[in-house]
């Protein structure tokens, strides 16, 4: 007989927290402690969701808006993967490449994305191009450079000792050692890119979940 899985204390706490949140939401709106325009009732929120789900918004269904946002996000993400990852690894491996690329990366990296989004909109319009360009400037490059910097020099020196070339060291030592941190950087970048995308669609767009 299969053993029944015990419900963890943490799971119970999480469920109770959610129930408490909805109970507080209901009481606050039922007692009219807050302006309904600021915090609508649970029923009004649900009715609005059903309306958007069934009737759409501004001529597009909810799934179409989600699909548009996901298309922009995935295109920008894939473009970043095929460019920022190799460039970041090469910059971490070669000080000369890093010296050439680093000034441009450090120029825009501290800037909030929406700060230069206006310039992208003026140059590329409010369509997909400006959104993809905005999301393309993701922190994947920095994560790859940092991953290479964390590799122990003993690994690299050991490879050179047995006669490995620079190219062999890159493919057999650098890339495998950085794989885990690269995937962590990609996961972080796609989360940041999604939140940036929604904000950008609020500012200038004609479709998408943020709009």
């Amino acid at each position: 007989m299969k053993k029944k899985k015990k419900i963890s204390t943490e799971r119970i706490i999480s469920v109770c927290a959610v129930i408490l949140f909805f109970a507080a939401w209901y009481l606050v709106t039922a007692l009219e402690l807050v302006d309904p325009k600021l915090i609508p009732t649970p029923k009004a929120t649900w009715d609005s969701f059903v309306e958007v789900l069934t009737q759409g918004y501004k001529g597009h269904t909810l799934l179409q808006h989600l699909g548009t946002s996901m298309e922009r996000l995935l295109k920008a993400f894939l473009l970043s993967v095929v460019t920022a990852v190799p460039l970041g690894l090469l910059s971490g491996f070669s000080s000369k490449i890093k010296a050439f690329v680093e000034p441009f990366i450090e120029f825009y990296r501290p800037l909030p994305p929406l700060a230069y989004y206006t310039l992208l909109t003026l140059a590329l319009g409010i369509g997909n191009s400006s959104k993809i360009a905005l999301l393309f400037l993701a922190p994947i490059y920095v994560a790859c450079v940092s991953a290479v910097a964390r590799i122990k020099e003993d690994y690299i020196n050991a490879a050179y000792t047995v006669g490995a070339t620079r190219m062999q060291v890159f493919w057999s030592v650098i890339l495998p050692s950085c794989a885990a941190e690269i995937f962590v950087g990609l996961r972080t970048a796609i989360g940041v890119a999604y939140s940036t995308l929604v904000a950008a669609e609020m500012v200038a767009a004609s479709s998408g979940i943020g709009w």
Side-chain angles (χ1 to χ4, degrees):
M1 295 182 64
K2 294 183 178 179
K3 294 182 179 179
K4 294 183 178 180
K5 294 183 179 179
K6 293 183 179 179
I7 300 177
S8 64
T9 304
E10 290 78 7
R11 180 64 60 85
I12 295 175
I13 293 174
S14 297
V15 172
C16 291
V18 173
I19 294 174
L20 182 62
F21 168 78
F22 280 103
W25 182 11
Y26 174 79
L27 288 175
V28 167
T29 54
L31 297 176
E32 298 182 351
L33 299 178
V34 182
D35 189 343
K37 294 180 180 179
L38 182 61
I39 302 181
T41 64
K43 184 179 183 304
T45 303
W46 175 256
D47 291 341
S48 296
F49 171 72
V50 172
E51 180 181 351
V52 173
L53 185 63
T54 56
Q55 301 180 19
Y57 179 77
K58 299 293 185 179
H60 298 279
T61 65
L62 181 60
L63 290 179
Q64 287 175 327
H65 285 298
L66 286 170
T68 301
S69 295
M70 291 301 103
E71 178 187 358
R72 293 166 177 164
L73 180 64
L74 290 177
K75 284 182 177 179
F77 182 72
L78 292 175
L79 188 60
S80 296
V81 169
V82 300
T83 55
V85 172
L87 190 59
L89 292 175
L90 290 173
S91 296
F93 186 58
S94 173
S95 59
K96 293 181 176 62
I97 296 177
K98 182 178 180 181
F100 180 82
V101 177
E102 198 80 357
F104 303 101
I105 300 296
E106 292 302 324
F107 172 75
Y108 79 79
R109 190 169 69 91
L111 298 175
L114 295 180
Y116 50 80
Y117 179 61
T118 303
L119 297 176
L120 294 176
T121 303
L122 292 174
L124 302 174
I126 64 173
N128 286 356
S129 299
S130 60
K131 310 294 187 300
I132 292 173
L134 178 70
L135 301 181
F136 172 67
L137 303 176
I140 298 176
Y141 168 86
V142 178
C144 293
V145 174
S146 177
V148 176
R150 290 193 181 95
I151 298 176
K152 293 182 179 180
E153 291 187 9
D154 293 344
Y155 297 162
I156 299 175
N157 293 333
Y160 282 131
T161 300
V162 296
T165 63
R166 285 178 62 84
M167 187 62 66
Q168 289 173 332
V169 169
F170 180 81
W171 287 106
S172 301
V173 179
I174 301 296
L175 188 58
S177 300
C178 295
E181 290 197 43
I182 289 174
F183 282 108
V184 172
L186 293 176
R187 183 179 64 181
T188 303
I190 198 169
V192 174
Y194 177 77
S195 60
T196 303
L197 170 65
V198 173
E201 289 175 340
M202 289 180 175
V203 175
S206 57
S207 62
I209 192 64
W211 182 71

